Amino acid sequence: MAMSGTGATIAELAEAYRQGGRADAVKAQLVRIADPAGEGARTFFSTFDEQAVAQAQAYDRASAPAPLAGITVSIKDLFDIAGQATAAGSTFLRKAPPAKQDAPVVQRLRKAGLIPIGRTNMTEFAYSGLGINPHFGTPANPFDRAAKRIPGGSSSGAAVSVTDGMADVGLGTDTGGSCRIPAALCGLVGFKPTAHRVPRDGVLPLSTTLDSIGPIARSVACCATVDSILADDPTPVPDVPVTGLRLGVPSAYVFDDVDETTAKAFEAALSRLSKAGAKIATVDASALLDIPQINHKGGFSAREAYLYHRAWIAEHSAEYDPRVVSRIVKGEIQSDEDERILVRERQRLIAAVSHFDAYDALILPTTPLVAPTIAELADDAAYTRVNLLMLRNCTVTNMLDRCAISVPCHAPDTAPVGLMLMGAHNGDRRLFGVAQAVESALN
């Protein structure tokens, strides 16, 4: 029974696959990817047709395959896969030497029975929250597709691969929102773990300080299942009742320039949660107002990306996305002393918000805006302004070294809006329990 692409959750697919049908489901997804009328050509750089079908057929024949055998996963283009170049959405790295082995997280997914189905599109080198790639085209957001809205980034293809039934889950990275932003704008769930929990070896870095690896999927439970594999963390998700849940709404920073659609969806979500028994209170978040000043020279991403890219830029600057390379080279102005100040200021900020831990989670809009059209961002000034806004709320979590998840909170048939829950450092599995309670109340 071929279920993939029907909007089924991982648990529903796993149950269905007890009767077989994995190979048929994988073939159906590959047909969807190849459909010239769809977004497949802009969502995937390459697909693993023969290997994916062969693996699914082997699982169908096996007497006792792994419980998740046959679930497909799309792989963002900055993860190493043995025998392939890791190009990270760029053109010039497609000629780079192939990876000698899979990244550890890809190895873990394969061991659990998941089947990589292809490499997905992304903002070049993951350096934007919008998902636009001028080299290969940008997959259109599933909402109001005729208008060609942005999918969000940088894990753009990861999100669209799931919305369009081309993969059951997307593997992404999150340095300042790159799992949560596309999930929010596309109506999915996106998770950013506490960074150190998931190994980042074999993943082309943006910021070694802020990078983290997470899933984009259809439900909180789907993300929790995949996170358990990625982090090699069998801790069960606790059953957390919504009644008595303590949710803190930040007093400052995260509501500036929020558009009307997002504000209404967020307020409606707060109302539903309150009626369901959650205790919602305003929490002092004035310390967050320091973040722009702390990052005024580009922050960790600019500094660390520049140090990583400077040799490539010297040789290939004309081949970069101009909007990406212009941001990377800003890191050149940061000195070693600037970096020491950054580290110190980050620790000061983390200490200044320790009172956040009195709440089960902080609750805020994932992004201040719903997805604009790609055409609206053709102007560099508009691109820069919207990119900074899209990243702003999500970046808070990365700066504070916490975990966070985005869940949909919009009404059916309206522009997708994400509600973000931010948990404590190392509070990842507990946050999934909180998020499941919120997800249930909102649905």
Side-chain angles (χ1 to χ4, degrees):
M1 63 182 67
M3 281 188 66
S4 281
T6 62
T9 64
I10 288 175
E12 290 166 343
L13 290 169
E15 179 63 28
Y17 289 158
R18 291 186 183 195
Q19 310 299 320
R22 299 173 185 85
D24 288 342
V26 169
K27 289 175 184 175
Q29 288 185 332
L30 290 168
V31 167
R32 218 167 277 122
I33 294 168
D35 181 358
E39 292 297 311
R42 285 176 289 276
T43 300
F44 285 87
F45 291 136
S46 61
T47 51
F48 315 139
D49 300 39
E50 290 182 15
Q51 306 97 305
V53 172
Q55 186 62 71
Q57 289 171 335
Y59 286 143
D60 281 338
R61 291 192 299 266
S63 57
L68 299 180
I71 305 298
T72 58
V73 56
S74 65
I75 309 292
K76 189 175 180 178
D77 195 40
L78 40 62
F79 290 87
D80 284 353
I81 293 180
Q84 300 185 7
T86 304
S90 71
T91 55
F92 65 89
L93 283 187
R94 303 209 171 269
K95 302 183 276 271
K100 290 183 169 61
Q101 61 186 23
D102 289 345
V105 288
V106 176
Q107 294 175 24
R108 289 178 177 182
L109 292 168
R110 288 193 199 270
K111 185 178 178 183
L114 279 78
I115 300 175
I117 199 163
R119 302 183 75 99
T120 51
N121 197 348
M122 57 181 284
T123 305
E124 184 184 69
F125 297 117
Y127 213 165
S128 165
L130 303 178
I132 291 173
N133 188 309
H135 307 305
F136 302 100
T138 302
N141 191 306
F143 175 72
D144 188 14
R145 187 149 269 163
K148 295 201 181 307
R149 297 181 181 277
I150 63 165
S154 63
S155 309
S156 53
V160 177
S161 74
V162 177
T163 63
D164 286 25
M166 297 183 281
D168 301 322
V169 62
L171 179 64
T173 60
D174 191 309
T175 307
S178 288
C179 283
R180 290 162 290 160
I181 295 167
L185 298 187
C186 292
L188 297 169
V189 179
F191 178 67
K192 175 242 177 291
T194 305
H196 74 88
R197 287 178 63 250
V198 181
R200 294 173 289 183
D201 312 288
V203 186
L204 197 145
L206 172 56
S207 165
T208 52
T209 298
L210 303 177
D211 290 347
S212 50
I213 295 167
I216 298 174
R218 294 194 177 278
S219 71
V220 172
C222 292
C223 284
T225 297
V226 177
D227 170 76
S228 181
I229 297 164
L230 297 175
D232 192 21
D233 182 355
T235 306
V237 172
D239 184 14
V240 179
V242 70
T243 304
L245 204 59
R246 294 158 304 158
L247 300 174
V249 179
S251 64
Y253 190 60
V254 300
F255 293 101
D256 295 345
D257 300 310
V258 168
D259 69 23
E260 185 179 2
T261 302
T262 302
K264 283 184 176 178
F266 184 76
E267 288 299 326
L270 290 186
S271 177
R272 289 204 296 279
L273 290 168
S274 184
K275 286 176 183 172
K279 299 185 185 310
I280 299 171
T282 301
V283 57
D284 178 14
S286 54
L288 303 183
L289 295 169
D290 293 342
I291 291 176
Q293 176 57 32
I294 293 171
N295 289 332
H296 76 284
K297 289 188 175 182
F300 291 105
S301 294
R303 162 78 173 176
E304 292 167 354
Y306 176 71
L307 294 177
Y308 190 85
H309 281 265
R310 58 185 172 184
W312 286 342
I313 290 172
E315 188 175 350
H316 299 283
S317 63
E319 297 171 71
Y320 277 75
D321 174 354
R323 289 165 164 175
V324 167
V325 74
S326 65
R327 294 180 71 204
I328 292 174
V329 296
K330 287 179 181 175
E332 187 176 13
I333 66 171
Q334 290 190 44
S335 63
D336 292 347
E337 177 60 18
D338 288 325
E339 184 168 34
R340 284 190 286 272
I341 292 170
L342 260 180
V343 171
R344 191 166 65 240
E345 286 294 289
R346 185 192 195 201
Q347 291 309 311
R348 183 187 63 77
L349 183 66
I350 289 170
V353 298
S354 59
H355 61 286
F356 287 0
D357 290 342
Y359 297 86
D360 291 301
L362 259 64
I363 184 168
L364 57 152
T366 308
T367 64
L369 312 173
V370 297
T373 65
I374 296 169
E376 286 174 301
L377 304 178
D379 173 72
D380 283 349
Y383 179 100
T384 299
R385 180 184 67 82
V386 174
N387 184 51
L388 287 171
L389 266 178
M390 285 294 183
L391 291 164
R392 184 194 64 205
N393 290 4
C394 285
T395 299
V396 171
T397 309
N398 303 75
M399 281 293 288
L400 298 179
D401 199 13
R402 290 172 173 253
C403 56
I405 190 165
S406 177
V407 298
C409 70
H410 56 286
D413 303 318
T414 61
V417 174
L419 180 149
M420 183 161 65
L421 296 157
M422 183 167 66
H425 177 83
N426 284 338
D428 301 59
R429 301 305 285 176
R430 165 77 182 172
L431 181 63
F432 281 122
V434 174
Q436 283 188 322
V438 168
E439 179 184 54
S440 179
L442 294 181
N443 289 340

